[in-house]
Every structure is written in C-alpha cells, then in structure tokens.
Amino acid sequence: MKSLICTTLLVETSPQGLPLGAACIASALKADARTKNAVSVSLIDFSLEDDEIISAKKSGGDDAIAQFLANQLASKKPDFIAFSVYVWNRLILEKTCTTLKKMLPNSICIAGGPEVTADPLSFHSFDFMISGQGERAMVELVDSLAKGKKIDIQGVYTASAQSGAQTNEIARACPLPPDMTASPYLDGTLDPSKYGGALWELARGCPFKCSYCYESKGEKKIAYFPMERLEKEIELFARKKIAQIFVLDPTYNASKERALKMLKTIEKKAPGMFFYFEARAEFIDRELAYAFSRVPCCLQIGLQSANPEVLKNVHRTLDKKKFIKNIGFLNEAGVTFGFDLIYGLPGDTFAGFCESIDFALSLYPNNLELFCLSVLPGTDLHDDAASFGLHWEKIPPYHVLKTPTFNEADLARAKKLAEATNLFYTKGRAVAWFNSVLYVLKETPSVFLKQFSDQESVRKFLNSHEHFSAEHTSDKKIEEIQLDFVKKRFTEKHMDKYFAATEDLIKMHSALGRCTFDGTESKFSTHYHPADIMSEYGTDIVFFTEHCGKQKCTVQVFVGKNGVDWRTM
C-alpha cells in the first residue's frame, strides 16, 4: 500500500491555526472507495510556535526551517506528500519541497490551498498543483497516479504545463458538494482537543465580490453543510469540552433563518462554549442581535473603510446610517463585536484611514483589527491593481507599497498607528472607558492614538516584541503604559483633577478584564469606592469627579462562585 502525508505549516498552535484544509484532503482520501484501500493517509502539521522550528529559525532562518520540515517528512518515507500552501508558509514550503525531492527523488509532491488556487503556474517545486477545492481532484489525482493513468483532471496542473497561461485563465477543480464531503472531526482525522478548540466549517462560497478577497473569484453561491453533520460535530465538540469555536462562514448571517436555527442548536447543544462569527452588519436586526446575546460569542465585522467611495473601488457598499443602527442592536443586546479596517485601499488616504478609525471606535467595538492591504494573486483586485496605480510586493504577504493617494510615508504612518491602536485599544481592552477619556480631552480617537504612537516608551515596547509574550505577563505592562500616557495628556490639557477618577476606572476595568480572560486575580488601591466607579455614572468622568466623594480603598478582583467579582479589603 502506498503512503501519503497531508501536511502544512501553521502560524501558531491554536484553534485558528488548526490544519483544517489538509485534514479535509486526508478525510476525502480516507472516505473515497478509489483511494481508501490504496493509500495509507496521515496528517502531520507543524507550527511556527514549535520549539524545534523556533530553534531552527534562530540558527538559520527559513532555510533551516525548510530543512527541518524536510527531514521530518522524509523520515516517514512517504510516496505522496500533499502540502497546504498559504500566504504565511509559501516560501518555506517551496524550499521544503525542493529539499525533500533531493532526499526522496521518487516521492510525488502535490500542493493546494489559497496560494496555489490563485496562481498554480507560479509554482515550480511541486510535481502537481491543485487549484480550487481539492477533495475531488486530489482523489482523482492519487487514483490516476496509483493506476498509471494519464493525468487529465480539471484544476490539476504541473509546473511545465501551459507555462504561458495567465492567472485569470486558470480553471479551478470541480468542487465536491458539502453533503458529499467527509468530516475530519467525525472520522477522527482532527482532534480539536489538541488545538484547544476548532475551526468549524458551516458553508463554502460567498455571494459577495469584495475584490481584495480570494472569494472574489470563488463560488458566488453559498453551499451549506448538512445540518445533520453540523449537529454531530457540535455534539462531538461538547463531549470533548473544548473551549472555543471559530466559525468558518464568510457571511454567517447571509441567511437569517439558518443563522437563527444554528444559534438555537448551539445554545442547546454547547452551552458555555465560546464562538467567533464573521458577520455582515447590514443583515443584523434586533431579533438576530438578541439571538447572538444568548450564546457566548464575539462577532467580527468587516467594515474595512468608513468611506463609501473608497469601498466602491473594491466592490463593497456602506450605508452609514444603517450600519450605525444595526451595530446599535448589538450594543443594546450586549453582544461582543469587533471591526476590521484596511489601510492602503485604492482611493483611500491617510486622513481617510484616520476618519475610519474615528468612525469605528465611536461605535464601541471590543476590538479593532487594522491590516495593510494585500494585493493577493487570484483576486479581482490583483487583476485591477495596475489600473488603480497600485505598487505592491510580488512575494508574500503582497503588501501594498504605495498608491497614488497613499504614499510610502503615509503607509508607514498608518502601520505605526495600527500598531499603537492594537496595543492601546485592543490588547489594552479599553472599550469600556476609551470614549469617556476622549470626551474629557475633547479629542478624536485617531488624534489621541497618533500622539500615543509617537511616545518613545511605546515605540520601545512595540519594537521589543514584549507584547507578543503570554497575555497575562504583558497585560499589566500595557495598563501601566496606558495610565502613563493618559496622565500625561490630562496634565497637558490642565485636567489633572479628573485623573484620579480616570485612573480608578482604568484600573477596575483592566483588572476585571484580566480576570475574565485568564483568571488572573489582583489587588490594587483606588481613590473612590469601586461601587461608585462601576456605577452608571462612573464613565461620565467630569460629572463623577464633581459629585462623588473620594474614599480610598484596597480592591481585590477574583474568580468567585458566580464568575469574576470584586471586594474591598
């Protein structure tokens, strides 16, 4: 029997870094009658967080990582190796394949994944490349190779084939309908316990055409996985008592009826498990917001820009009034949510990016994820980039380098602002008090955060990468940096009398956030009684300072019988 390894290199070992693509290919080979008794299939994944890979990186960079991966794979002496290739691992996996072919010249290396789907003919290390969803094509390819048949399969390419073809002429593999695909969870290929959670695929395809996204050239119709399969998977997750699920569905709430049905199923079968959804704000209403509030979850919403004219350039729309109204439903229901913004979009400017930050943070998101535009091969934006005057990296991660309206200096400023926003607002869990502080200072979020990003201490902290260490070790340091900067701003604006209440507000919410996130208990002093700080008047800093009497307290934040709590000592 021939042996086949499905493999990939992950960014991290986590529910989000789980090797779902490679696992789906492995499950397809195990399930199909043509291959299940012809090849022995195994899944081997690596992570950039693995100790051996960290060590290899330090000793010899990507070349050393590739050599390590090749050694590990070659030791298994596989006949076939299938690589899942993404933006973050393309260069390393191409080197791995080249090295592996020298060690096992008779092995057959096959590549698939988003990078291959985008432009399979740009790969020269692998024997075969599969563009598109690979379950059906992979089975047909392995079956043909095992039987010595001629390879003539839609979506399957070799490095020498059609060398002059353009990306937009590439035919993708014929997808396997979701109701015919094997579940890598149910067949035991993937154990979510190993990763602390799961990537849960509910559907494939997207009805929208956001030109910067791989889906812009994908299936325009949504193909849903059968409810029977999804119920079995959620029952499995519940039995394994995993903590969190990242839902893979580009637009979870595209069908309100199905979204509500799934939320009821989750509420019934997985109480207490935390879910992350991707949602479109224009499809949220009060009923759906309430349904989300009944499930421990967070919604990530792709705002991308607050400028409708900029969004038109990438085939998106924005009705600001409707957006604000629908996000209001989430705030009203107490649903946790975050926004994504992209800087460097065609037609955008640094000033426009700042306005997008101001608009986003005015709506109280729990987090704000800021990304530099990547001109990904295989997307509509990649095809249109020249007409927009975009200049971008031709190797991963394909970041935009300059545009007619966003020059190199402005992109550098935007990156600096994005890093500062991530540190102060998102990692600093500032949502509960951020706008209250700005109200006192009479500043917009972008002005405040630009000033924050210019602090020497902030630059040193970011450059030291200390913020990438374990969350519980860096959170306290972030709080110190926040307090130092806020105090400085209050002094500069001659508003020192309001700092005591502000300091207490930040300390209380930071301590409660740390305890909620990872169970870290703490003890600290306050100028006011914590019951007053946490009252409905606590966030109105000016009113609070002028009407509430000081009362020095020592506060302990801890995990009690009913969750996170506090008491005075």
Side-chain angles (χ1 to χ4, degrees):
M1 180 181 287
K2 300 284 187 180
S3 63
L4 184 150
I5 293 174
C6 290
T7 190
T8 193
L9 175 63
L10 308 169
V11 173
E12 59 186 8
T13 302
S14 72
Q16 289 175 287
L18 181 148
L20 183 59
C24 286
I25 297 299
S27 293
L29 291 163
K30 292 177 183 179
D32 196 283
R34 291 168 290 180
T35 51
K36 66 179 181 180
N37 296 318
V39 292
S40 172
V41 182
S42 59
L43 173 67
I44 301 177
D45 60 281
F46 304 93
S47 168
L48 290 172
E49 290 185 340
D50 293 344
D51 291 340
E52 299 91 340
I53 290 181
I54 292 174
S55 177
K57 179 74 172 179
K58 290 179 179 178
S59 65
D62 289 354
D63 289 341
I65 296 176
Q67 184 66 61
F68 171 78
L69 298 181
N71 290 341
Q72 295 298 305
L73 296 169
S75 68
K76 308 294 182 182
K77 295 181 170 59
D79 298 291
F80 305 96
I81 309 97
F83 295 83
S84 276
V85 185
Y86 299 86
V87 168
W88 61 83
N89 65 24
R90 172 173 180 164
L91 300 180
I92 293 176
L93 291 187
E94 285 186 290
K95 291 179 180 179
T96 299
C97 180
T98 299
T99 304
L100 185 60
K101 292 291 285 185
K102 294 176 182 177
M103 302 168 74
L104 297 176
N106 294 323
S107 65
I108 296 175
C109 293
I110 305 162
E115 280 286 289
V116 181
T117 295
D119 189 1
L121 299 179
S122 67
F123 289 81
H124 305 288
S125 302
F126 303 95
D127 297 295
F128 297 94
M129 290 75 67
I130 298 177
S131 176
Q133 296 178 29
E135 287 99 339
R136 173 177 280 169
M138 186 67 175
V139 168
E140 293 176 357
L141 176 59
V142 171
D143 180 53
S144 296
L145 290 170
K147 295 176 180 177
K149 294 181 183 179
K150 179 182 178 181
I151 307 301
D152 185 16
I153 304 166
Q154 180 177 315
V156 176
Y157 298 87
T158 63
S160 59
Q162 304 175 33
S163 58
Q166 298 298 312
T167 302
N168 57 10
E169 298 173 3
I170 295 299
R172 296 188 178 187
C174 184
L176 199 63
D179 60 357
M180 294 178 62
T181 61
S183 167
Y185 295 112
L186 298 179
D187 70 8
T189 299
L190 269 180
D191 181 0
S193 301
K194 174 183 175 181
Y195 305 92
L199 286 175
W200 192 27
E201 196 173 20
L202 304 188
R204 291 182 180 178
C206 180
F208 301 99
K209 291 190 64 176
C210 305
S211 64
Y212 50 79
C213 177
Y214 281 124
E215 292 287 350
S216 64
K217 287 192 175 183
E219 296 292 322
K220 295 300 178 287
K221 295 181 179 179
I222 302 177
Y224 292 105
F225 285 89
M227 287 298 296
E228 181 181 1
R229 164 177 162 160
L230 298 178
E231 288 184 6
K232 289 180 180 178
E233 287 177 334
I234 195 68
E235 289 168 357
L236 172 69
F237 300 154
R239 286 198 303 273
K240 287 185 171 289
K241 298 180 180 179
I242 58 176
Q244 52 188 329
I245 304 291
F246 290 83
V247 176
L248 283 184
D249 185 339
T251 312
Y252 173 76
N253 58 330
S255 167
K256 178 182 174 181
E257 180 182 359
R258 186 175 173 87
L260 290 171
K261 185 176 181 179
M262 281 305 308
L263 289 170
K264 288 181 180 178
T265 299
I266 290 170
E267 184 181 0
K268 178 181 178 182
K269 295 182 178 291
M273 199 178 296
F274 199 91
F275 288 79
Y276 296 86
F277 298 96
E278 293 182 47
R280 296 279 294 215
E282 58 263 48
F283 300 144
I284 293 171
D285 60 14
R286 184 171 274 109
E287 181 183 12
L288 194 55
Y290 177 71
F292 278 122
S293 74
R294 294 174 61 85
V295 172
C297 70
C298 177
L299 275 59
Q300 199 65 22
I301 296 167
L303 173 58
Q304 316 310 4
S305 171
N307 186 331
E309 294 304 312
V310 168
L311 290 177
K312 283 182 183 179
N313 291 330
V314 288
H315 303 158
R316 287 183 69 95
T317 60
L318 174 66
D319 181 333
K320 278 191 174 182
K321 289 184 178 179
K322 186 174 183 180
F323 190 94
I324 294 169
K325 176 183 177 183
N326 292 358
I327 295 303
F329 292 139
L330 296 178
N331 279 319
E332 178 184 286
V335 178
T336 301
F337 64 90
F339 295 140
D340 295 334
L341 288 177
I342 300 174
Y343 59 89
L345 289 168
D348 204 3
T349 63
F350 179 73
F353 175 57
C354 292
E355 289 172 4
S356 293
I357 290 177
D358 293 340
F359 175 76
L361 292 182
S362 72
L363 300 177
Y364 297 87
N366 184 67
N367 64 80
L368 187 61
E369 305 296 333
L370 306 170
F371 305 96
C372 179
L373 175 66
S374 288
V375 184
L376 300 171
T379 64
D380 284 337
L381 181 61
H382 188 273
D383 294 344
D384 298 336
S387 66
F388 284 121
L390 305 185
H391 294 260
W392 69 97
E393 299 170 332
K394 298 307 187 286
I395 60 173
Y398 310 111
H399 283 158
V400 68
L401 298 173
K402 65 177 180 178
T403 80
T405 58
F406 222 127
N407 60 33
E408 297 98 321
D410 283 343
L411 283 168
R413 292 169 66 200
K415 179 182 178 182
K416 183 179 175 183
L417 178 56
E419 291 173 344
T421 302
N422 180 50
L423 174 63
F424 192 98
Y425 188 87
T426 300
K427 283 187 174 292
R429 301 192 183 95
V431 59
W433 50 265
F434 184 74
N435 284 326
S436 297
V437 170
L438 295 189
Y439 182 80
V440 177
L441 294 172
K442 294 181 172 55
E443 288 182 342
T444 63
S446 61
V447 168
F448 178 87
L449 291 166
K450 276 187 286 187
Q451 292 172 330
F452 175 70
S453 71
D454 289 336
Q455 300 298 297
E456 184 178 354
S457 60
V458 173
R459 301 315 306 165
K460 285 183 177 179
F461 182 77
L462 289 169
N463 292 334
S464 72
H465 299 295
E466 182 182 349
H467 58 298
F468 291 122
S469 61
E471 291 291 340
H472 68 276
T473 60
S474 62
D475 283 356
K476 187 63 180 176
K477 178 62 178 177
I478 293 173
E479 180 190 320
E480 293 173 5
I481 291 175
Q482 288 170 325
L483 285 169
D484 285 346
F485 180 66
V486 171
K487 184 176 183 179
K488 177 183 177 182
R489 294 300 298 133
F490 274 53
T491 298
E492 291 172 346
K493 291 272 184 120
H494 307 292
M495 294 179 173
D496 301 80
K497 67 178 181 179
Y498 300 122
F499 182 70
T502 303
E503 181 180 23
D504 288 357
L505 187 67
I506 293 174
K507 280 186 174 182
M508 283 296 297
H509 283 288
S510 295
L512 291 167
R514 286 193 297 273
C515 196
T516 300
F517 182 76
D518 58 18
T520 300
E521 300 187 350
S522 58
K523 187 192 299 183
F524 53 93
S525 60
T526 61
H527 304 87
Y528 297 86
H529 195 282
D532 294 330
I533 299 166
M534 300 304 292
S535 71
E536 60 182 309
Y537 305 107
T539 54
D540 187 342
I541 296 170
V542 173
F543 179 89
F544 183 88
T545 299
E546 294 175 351
H547 293 87
C548 188
K550 287 186 176 181
Q551 183 179 347
K552 288 190 175 182
C553 295
T554 298
V555 183
Q556 182 182 21
V557 171
F558 60 96
V559 180
K561 293 181 179 179
N562 299 314
V564 175
D565 203 351
W566 60 265
R567 61 179 167 233
T568 56
M569 302 179 67

